Amino acid sequence: MKPLVQVQDVGMRFDTKKGSFIALRDVNLDISEGEVITLIGHSGCGKSTLLNLIAGLTLPTDGGLICNGREIAGPGPERAVVFQNHSLLPWLTCFDNVMLAVERVFGAKEGKAKLKSRTKAALEMVHMEHAMNKFPHEISGGMKQRIGIARAFAMEPKILLMDEPFGALDALTRASLQDELIGVMGKTGATVVMVTHDVDEAVLLSDRVVMMTNGPAATIGEILEVKLEKPRDRLKLAHDPQFAEYRAAILEFLYQKQLKHAA
Ligand SMILES: Nc1ncnc2c1ncn2[C@@H]1O[C@H](COP(=O)(O)OP(=O)(O)OP(=O)(O)O)[C@@H](O)[C@H]1O
């Protein structure tokens, strides 16, 4: 089967005041339908740059990217993005924030009732139906991220792109959102690419962990295949020797092979 996303010999060069800066070079990655991939690497190595390229928010200066057989030439509804800071519109209720995205994707061919029921279903999936009439400033950071995830899933994208979606949350909220995401991914069979700094999160959620070398001119250093059974249970995995091995492999890559000296 053809991969859903193909990243082919991708390089990214930024023109800055100090001249040209090569952020990425020779990045090659195939992502299959239903696969969950995390991108991990030291700060500034180019994880967000790679995610933005898949999102079509920026275009590569070398190579090309393909999604569903077509070249990625800009953003599209088949690639939904969840950012670290939720990016909800403050003047709309939670329901209307999700509804807006649903209308944009399905509004041309579906009636209001169907659009509303899609919106409600997405909010129910992340257990947020109780807050649907609240405004973003009336709910917690974790709840805002849940709404952001609901909005992305409601668009029924081919692929969900997440840039450190839980990065701004405390450890307990983060764990509960990871569990929520495991549940939603299990139900929908979603294809996900997620940037993270958290080694445990990478092992817990991924089919493959893509480990990036340090920049400038960063590339993929190693790819770790995580063969733990799904759905995964964080409590059981806390005592699983295989989990510990995967974790150690990532730590070794980050802190031995790609040791970053403090500036
Ligand atoms: N628009 C831009 N113009 C110039 N340089 C950029 C631009 N965007 C990113 N860079 C540089 O490219 C490199 C990679 O940045 P990127 O944000 O992708 O890293 P990252 O791995 O996501 O970092 P972090 O983990 O800290 O979020 C960095 O050195 C950054 O300064």
Side-chain angles (χ1 to χ4, degrees):
M1 206 174 70
K2 258 205 150 167
L4 177 63
V5 174
Q6 292 167 280
V7 180
Q8 295 174 332
D9 299 323
V10 159
M12 189 69 209
R13 193 186 58 246
F14 292 108
D15 290 322
T16 70
K17 278 185 195 157
K18 290 184 188 158
S20 147
F21 176 82
I22 299 176
L24 296 175
R25 67 169 165 89
D26 303 329
V27 179
N28 284 285
L29 181 66
D30 283 350
I31 301 168
S32 305
E33 196 147 5
E35 214 179 1
V36 180
I37 296 230
T38 48
L39 305 177
I40 201 164
H42 286 288
S43 184
C45 72
K47 302 178 292 293
S48 299
T49 302
L50 180 54
L51 197 83
N52 289 343
L53 286 166
I54 301 173
L57 296 170
T58 43
L59 297 178
T61 46
D62 283 297
L65 296 99
I66 293 167
C67 179
N68 213 18
R70 292 173 60 176
E71 182 158 19
I72 297 177
E78 79 283 7
R79 284 165 282 126
V81 190
V82 178
F83 295 102
Q84 183 173 14
N85 290 318
H86 67 80
S87 65
L88 298 179
L89 299 173
W91 59 88
L92 292 182
T93 62
C94 294
F95 186 91
D96 287 341
N97 262 285
V98 178
M99 180 78 171
L100 187 68
V102 168
E103 274 176 333
R104 220 169 31 201
V105 180
F106 303 104
K109 48 184 194 295
E110 292 179 0
K112 261 277 182 306
K114 174 74 181 157
L115 300 176
K116 281 188 177 172
S117 83
R118 280 184 181 276
T119 302
K120 202 158 160 277
L123 288 165
E124 277 166 5
M125 195 161 64
V126 295
H127 305 116
M128 284 301 293
E129 61 276 26
H130 60 91
M132 64 185 181
N133 294 321
K134 294 203 163 141
F135 289 90
H137 73 270
E138 295 177 301
I139 59 174
S140 70
M143 289 160 105
K144 286 197 256 267
Q145 276 313 77
R146 277 197 167 87
I147 303 289
I149 291 169
R151 179 175 58 181
F153 271 103
M155 295 162 71
E156 294 192 354
K158 282 253 165 225
I159 182 162
L160 187 63
L161 304 169
M162 303 205 272
D163 198 347
E164 287 190 65
F166 312 138
L169 306 175
D170 66 88
L172 288 180
T173 308
R174 188 181 183 111
S176 96
L177 257 80
Q178 287 164 349
D179 291 341
E180 200 94 66
L181 189 64
I182 288 174
V184 175
M185 289 189 308
K187 263 186 239 158
T188 58
T191 311
V192 176
V193 180
M194 175 170 168
V195 170
T196 184
H197 278 115
D198 182 329
V199 174
D200 286 345
E201 180 169 279
V203 180
L204 182 69
L205 300 178
S206 310
D207 294 307
R208 285 191 294 156
V209 181
V210 171
M211 297 181 265
M212 297 186 58
T213 63
N214 293 336
T219 191
I220 294 173
E222 288 178 26
I223 296 184
L224 177 80
E225 203 168 327
V226 181
K227 291 182 179 156
L228 299 166
E229 219 171 276
K230 288 180 172 181
R232 295 177 187 157
D233 178 324
R234 76 174 58 251
L235 286 179
K236 282 191 195 139
L237 287 175
H239 306 288
D240 187 321
Q242 187 76 49
F243 183 89
E245 258 176 52
Y246 288 133
R247 198 173 179 278
I250 301 174
L251 289 172
E252 199 176 298
F253 177 87
L254 291 175
Y255 299 107
Q256 281 179 4
K257 298 178 189 165
Q258 294 295 317
L259 184 66
K260 185 150 188 170
H261 298 286

